[in-house]
Amino acid sequence: MQNFVLHNQTKIIFGADRLQEIGSEAKVLGARALLVYGRQSIRQNGILTAVTASLQSCSVAIIHHGGVQSNPLLSHVRQGIAKAKEEQVDMVIAVGGGSVIDSAKAIAAGALVDHDVWKFFNGKKSIKQCLPLACVLTLAAAGSEMNGGMVITHDDRKVKFGTGNRLLNPVVSILDPTLTYTVPPDYTAYGAADAIAHILEFYFSTADASTPVQDRFMEGLVINIMESCDKVLHDPCHYQGRADLMWCATLALNGWTAAGLGLVGFPMHMIEHTLSAHHDIAHGAGLSVVMPAWLAHQAERAPHKFAQFGRRVFQVEQKECRAAARAGIARLQEWLRGAGCPTSLAELGIAPETIPFLAEQSLPLAKLWRLKEYDQEKIETILRSCL
Ligand code: NZQ
Ligand code: ZN
C-alpha cells in the first residue's frame, strides 16, 4: 500500500425525497444561480419543476442554461460562461448526469478567468478558483457528483479531453435514487459499465502487487454494480437497486478506490473518449466495447491480477492463471451483453477501416495523461480485437 492523501470535501445528501433540500443548500452559497441541465428528461419527469420551486422558496434567483447534450460540447460551455459572467451568478447548480455536471464544472471554473476555458483541458492553464457548485444527480454513472474531474468535447477539433482539480469538487451533491427511476434501460446499463470501468482502470493499472484492502473493496463494488443493475433492469423503480447502483457509481470515482494504489492510469477511457468524440456514442456504451478488449490485451501480459478478478468476482474454477483470467473477462463481457450493452465496434457502427485514424486521434490524450506505453500500434491492436 502506497502513501496517500484522501481529501474529498463534497457533502453528500443521500436518500429518497431529498430533492427539495436543494433550495436551502443553495441559499448558503448565494442569491443568484446558473441552473445547468440537459435537453428534455428533467422537464418530462418533473425534476425541473421541483428544483425551481425549491430554489424560489429560498429566494435563490435562477438563470437557466439548459440543453447540455451527452458528450458535452465546449461551445455550450462557453455560452454558459458568458451567461454566468453577464448575470454575475454566485453559484452553478447542475441537475443531471455526468455530462451536465461536467459542463457545470467547466462553467464554474471558466466564469472566473479571462482566458478560454479550453486551456484548462489542454494543460495550458491550471484552475486556481471556481464558483461554488451544487449538484442534483439524476443518473448513476460518471461519479462526477463527488470528484474533481470534468470531460468536455471540443466541437471543432473533435477531441474529448478530461482534466481534474480538487477545486471542481461540488460543495454539495444530492443523491436521491428516486430521481433515477426514469433512466431508460440502455443508459442504466451504460452507467453500470462506466462505473465498472472506473474501478477496473485502477484495479489493473496499479503497480503495487499488494493492495488487499483496495482489491476487496473494488471487487465488492463491481459485484454490487452488476447485482443492483440486474435488479433495476428487471424493475426500474426498485429503490434498493437504484440506491445501491447510485452509491456504487459515486464510490467508483471519488478517490476512495484509488487510495494507496500509487500511480494509476485511465487507458480504457483514453481510447473511449476518441470513440465518443468522433461518433457521439454514449460513454458507457463505448467502454462496454473497449473494456473486454483492453482487459484481454493486458491479461496476456500479466495474468495474475486478472485471474484473481475472475476467481473472486465470477468464481471461475480454472487452475491455470491465463485460463482463469480469460474466463473472468469472458464472464464480464457476457454480463455486459446480457445487460444490453454493445460489445463490438460493429454494434457502435464503427468500421474496421477507421481504426488507424481512431488510434492516431487517441495519441494526444495518451500523451497528456502520460500513458507512455500507448502508441499507435498498441491502440490499434486493442481496437482490432473489439471489431
Ligand atoms: O439530456 P437529457 O434529456 O437530460 O437526457 C439524459 C441524457 O440523454 C438522460 N438522463 C439523465 N438523467 C435522466 C435521464 N433520462 C431519464 N431520466 C433521468 N433521470 O441520460 C442521457 C445521458 O446523460 P449523460 O449525463 O450524458 O450520462 P452520464 O451520466 O453517463 O455522463 C456521461 C458523461 O460523463 C463523462 C463522460 O465522458 C460523458 O461525457 N464522464 C465524467 C467523469 C468525471 N467527471 O469524473 C468520468 C467519467 O469517466 C466520464 O468520462
Ligand atoms: Zn467513465
Side-chain angles (χ1 to χ4, degrees):
M1 183 177 225
Q2 308 291 311
N3 293 356
F4 66 91
V5 172
L6 183 61
H7 182 163
N8 190 318
Q9 69 277 18
T10 300
K11 174 182 176 184
I12 295 292
I13 298 174
F14 192 98
D17 309 325
R18 308 294 306 261
L19 175 59
Q20 54 271 14
E21 296 173 51
I22 187 63
S24 52
E25 292 297 329
K27 190 175 174 71
V28 171
L29 302 176
R32 296 175 65 74
L34 185 79
L35 186 61
V36 182
Y37 47 91
R39 287 159 296 188
Q40 72 273 350
S41 74
I42 68 165
R43 290 177 196 284
Q44 288 164 348
N45 58 22
I47 293 174
L48 183 59
T49 308
V51 166
T52 306
S54 176
L55 291 171
Q56 283 170 344
S57 72
C58 294
S59 318
V60 175
I62 302 170
I63 294 92
H64 286 263
H65 189 60
V68 174
Q69 65 175 63
S70 283
N71 301 315
L73 298 177
L74 178 60
S75 53
H76 193 260
V77 164
R78 284 171 173 156
Q79 289 159 15
I81 290 168
K83 230 181 246 182
K85 288 181 174 176
E86 202 179 305
E87 298 285 346
Q88 297 181 332
V89 300
D90 307 305
M91 73 194 88
V92 181
I93 298 177
V95 182
S99 293
V100 168
I101 300 172
D102 285 5
S103 295
K105 287 179 180 178
I107 293 167
L112 299 185
V113 292
D114 294 334
H115 63 70
D116 184 28
V117 67
W118 186 250
K119 289 192 174 168
F120 290 139
F121 291 87
N122 61 12
K124 296 246 181 345
K125 291 280 184 185
S126 56
I127 295 165
K128 302 255 184 331
Q129 50 179 349
C130 191
L131 284 173
L133 175 66
C135 295
V136 175
L137 183 66
T138 68
L139 170 49
S144 192
E145 64 278 6
M146 194 178 182
N147 72 29
M150 60 179 179
V151 183
I152 296 292
T153 297
H154 194 301
D155 326 32
D156 312 339
R157 297 181 203 158
K158 283 237 176 291
V159 286
K160 182 176 167 122
F161 278 8
T163 188
N165 185 301
R166 206 162 50 74
L167 295 169
L168 293 171
N169 269 64
V171 172
V172 58
S173 285
I174 295 178
L175 275 56
D176 177 341
T178 64
L179 304 185
T180 64
Y181 284 171
T182 53
V183 177
D186 54 355
Y187 273 97
T188 297
Y190 299 159
D194 191 14
I196 290 172
H198 295 153
I199 294 161
L200 298 189
E201 295 268 25
F202 298 153
Y203 184 86
F204 289 117
S205 66
T206 176
D208 191 322
S210 168
T211 52
V213 173
Q214 296 305 97
D215 287 356
R216 296 264 185 205
F217 175 33
M218 290 189 273
E219 290 152 10
L221 284 177
V222 172
I223 293 167
N224 274 296
I225 289 167
M226 293 191 291
E227 288 179 354
S228 52
C229 185
D230 289 345
K231 285 178 191 151
V232 165
L233 291 176
H234 182 71
D235 168 10
C237 299
H238 192 293
Y239 179 77
Q240 182 74 45
R242 287 289 188 187
D244 292 346
L245 189 54
M246 181 176 256
W247 187 226
C248 282
T250 301
L251 288 171
L253 205 58
N254 72 348
W256 291 3
T257 56
L261 297 184
L263 200 60
V264 287
F266 232 39
M268 292 188 266
H269 276 70
M270 175 269 291
I271 297 171
E272 195 292 320
H273 283 179
T274 302
L275 306 187
S276 285
H278 284 274
H279 296 273
D280 197 18
I281 51 173
H283 173 61
L287 282 166
S288 175
V289 169
V290 170
M291 186 159 37
W294 181 83
L295 294 173
H297 181 84
Q298 295 297 107
E300 290 311 304
R301 284 149 187 76
H304 288 84
K305 191 77 175 276
F306 294 83
Q308 171 181 296
F309 175 74
R311 290 173 181 140
R312 289 187 181 173
V313 174
F314 291 108
Q315 293 74 47
V316 300
E317 292 171 357
Q318 284 78 350
K319 292 281 168 279
E320 195 275 324
C321 232
R322 248 183 205 81
R326 288 179 189 143
I329 294 164
R331 291 286 300 279
L332 175 63
Q333 187 171 46
E334 199 182 299
W335 181 83
L336 289 164
R337 203 172 281 134
C341 290
T343 52
S344 70
L345 290 176
E347 288 170 88
L348 296 177
I350 296 176
E353 49 273 19
T354 60
I355 284 179
F357 170 74
L358 292 171
E360 186 222 339
Q361 291 293 303
S362 304
L363 296 176
L365 191 52
K367 188 161 173 262
L368 199 61
W369 282 1
R370 298 193 186 86
L371 295 166
K372 293 192 188 61
E373 61 182 288
Y374 286 82
D375 57 13
Q376 177 84 16
E377 188 196 344
K378 183 175 174 90
I379 300 172
E380 278 197 39
T381 307
I382 292 169
L383 283 173
R384 282 196 203 294
S385 61
C386 40
L387 279 172

